[in-house]
Amino acid sequence: MKTWMMVLALATATPAAARDLGVPADKGWKHAETGLILMSQLAGLSRIALTDATQTERDVAAQYDMPDKSVFATIYLFHPAISDVALWFDRSQTALETRDTFRHAAPASADPIAFTAANNGTATSLRQVYATPGGAYRSTALALMPVGEWIVSIRMSAKTLTADQLDVRLQQLIKAVRWPSSATTATSAAAPVTACTAPLTFTKAKQAKPNGADLLMSLMSSTVAAKAKTEEKLTPQAPHPTWCRDGTARTEYGVYRSSASTGGYVMALYDAGRVISVYPSLMGQADKSGTYAVSLEDVDGTTSVFPSFTALPSPKQVWDLVEGGKRNGTVNGKVITINPKAL
């Protein structure tokens, strides 16, 4: 979950390091924005670390361990750019299954299990347990649960427990978390992401020449999107979009398309909430040039805008662009910053 820091550092030209929240080991911790509470002891495991990869508690990790080190768990709480359990469960599965430690992990069930974490009656969460023969651990598990617009992700591994035994311990740990009321309001049942029926095809795309009007429209559309998200909370919710996975998932990113999309795609980075959006630019639609805008949205709400492309770029082209850190501008709340070289 922490490898994304390297990408973020490249994209923002600022260091990214987790900070210790400094909560006494025998005290509980309450997340200010969601109200979720993690006690010092959960289902027999003791909290041994509590860190935040941001400055505003938007990417928190709490580590728990048994005294004999036979079972450990990490609980992540983050605010994703796209609030969708199925999408981030898909990314977390890829992160787990591509690690050398768990490369030969065998899932205990054919599909992830949908369940309810906060007794709201709707199976809004997903979990999966694995047997890991021949490795340092006998079993490992993954669970993702929504808390309003936030996601709670739990990774748990055991040295001697079978997959079924670990599943019991995982559910005990989930039950021990003090869930806020926002965890009981979700109404959309969770279902695993599936492959898109018709994969995207890509033609030759080049970086478009610097265009100040294109940049300003991309930056302004980011602020409009943020405002729309706020207004959605005040109006009846539209049908929750579903996502399909385009192509083969990689550790670094997965490509997804929404049922509500009119073109383009998103790239979910690693498994910690950051998203790159690739969609027709407003300028490209206005002047019929067909350009595509590229933007990176972080968990703190900051949006970075990158150079546009003359046509729909491949995910590899977009990844190389963002990894290179060549931002044209950023939006953070009402503050817009522009790179003069991009005008």
Side-chain angles (χ1 to χ4, degrees):
M1 169 115 21
K2 297 308 177 188
T3 313
W4 60 263
M5 288 185 180
M6 294 185 291
V7 176
L8 184 60
L10 287 169
T12 61
T14 57
R19 63 189 179 98
D20 189 346
L21 291 181
V23 178
D26 61 343
K27 301 294 183 182
W29 170 78
K30 182 177 182 179
H31 185 238
E33 190 157 347
T34 64
L36 180 137
I37 298 174
L38 298 177
M39 300 304 293
S40 61
Q41 302 279 330
L42 291 178
L45 281 74
S46 300
R47 194 183 66 234
I48 58 174
L50 184 63
T51 59
D52 179 18
T54 68
Q55 297 300 309
T56 53
E57 294 188 356
R58 294 220 155 192
D59 191 358
V60 176
Q63 298 179 41
Y64 286 81
D65 207 346
M66 290 287 289
D68 61 1
K69 310 297 181 182
S70 62
V71 181
F72 77 89
T74 304
I75 301 176
Y76 299 98
L77 173 64
F78 60 95
H79 189 274
I82 296 174
S83 182
D84 188 275
V85 165
L87 187 151
W88 292 110
F89 188 89
D90 194 66
R91 290 304 304 145
S92 296
Q93 271 192 306
T94 298
L96 185 155
E97 294 173 3
T98 55
R99 285 187 61 188
D100 288 340
T101 304
F102 304 117
R103 193 171 296 276
H104 301 293
S109 57
D111 296 307
I113 299 171
F115 70 102
T116 176
N119 298 320
N120 65 342
T122 303
T124 57
S125 306
L126 292 171
R127 76 177 191 271
Q128 180 73 283
V129 295
Y130 298 80
T132 55
Y137 302 96
R138 189 177 181 185
S139 57
T140 191
L142 168 69
L144 263 73
M145 297 134 287
V147 179
E149 295 183 343
W150 295 68
I151 297 287
V152 172
S153 173
I154 298 179
R155 282 292 316 279
M156 195 172 191
S157 297
K159 292 181 178 179
T160 61
L161 300 180
T162 65
D164 288 343
Q165 290 171 332
L166 183 61
D167 189 34
V168 173
R169 294 298 298 273
L170 174 64
Q171 293 182 66
Q172 292 172 344
L173 181 72
I174 292 170
K175 186 176 181 180
V177 174
R178 298 189 180 182
W179 299 96
S181 58
S182 57
T184 65
T185 57
T187 57
S188 299
V193 166
T194 58
C196 299
T197 55
L200 289 171
T201 57
F202 305 97
T203 56
K204 189 174 182 180
K206 298 180 179 179
Q207 283 190 34
K209 295 180 179 180
N211 185 318
D214 182 41
L215 172 59
L216 289 173
M217 291 184 74
S218 294
L219 291 168
M220 290 303 296
S221 66
S222 296
T223 62
V224 170
K227 183 174 184 293
K229 286 182 179 180
T230 301
E231 292 177 344
E232 283 176 1
K233 301 175 185 178
L234 306 177
T235 59
Q237 291 186 346
H240 191 72
T242 57
W243 296 86
C244 68
R245 184 194 324 104
D246 194 277
T248 303
R250 300 175 41 161
T251 301
E252 298 86 355
Y253 60 80
V255 178
Y256 300 90
R257 286 152 53 199
S258 168
S259 60
S261 172
T262 57
Y265 57 87
V266 301
M267 296 169 62
L269 304 184
Y270 294 95
D271 60 343
R274 280 88 182 163
V275 166
I276 300 172
S277 295
V278 185
Y279 285 101
S281 69
L282 292 178
M283 179 58 72
Q285 296 177 64
D287 62 12
K288 309 299 182 182
S289 63
T291 56
Y292 278 76
V294 176
S295 61
L296 166 66
E297 188 171 347
D298 200 357
V299 292
D300 64 357
T302 300
T303 299
S304 299
V305 174
F306 293 80
S308 297
F309 283 89
T310 58
L312 180 65
S314 69
K316 180 62 166 59
Q317 285 180 288
V318 175
W319 173 256
D320 291 342
L321 174 66
V322 173
E323 192 177 30
K326 186 181 177 182
R327 291 179 304 161
N328 282 348
T330 61
V331 178
N332 190 342
K334 296 181 180 180
V335 179
I336 296 178
T337 304
I338 296 176
N339 181 353
K341 295 181 180 180
L343 297 175

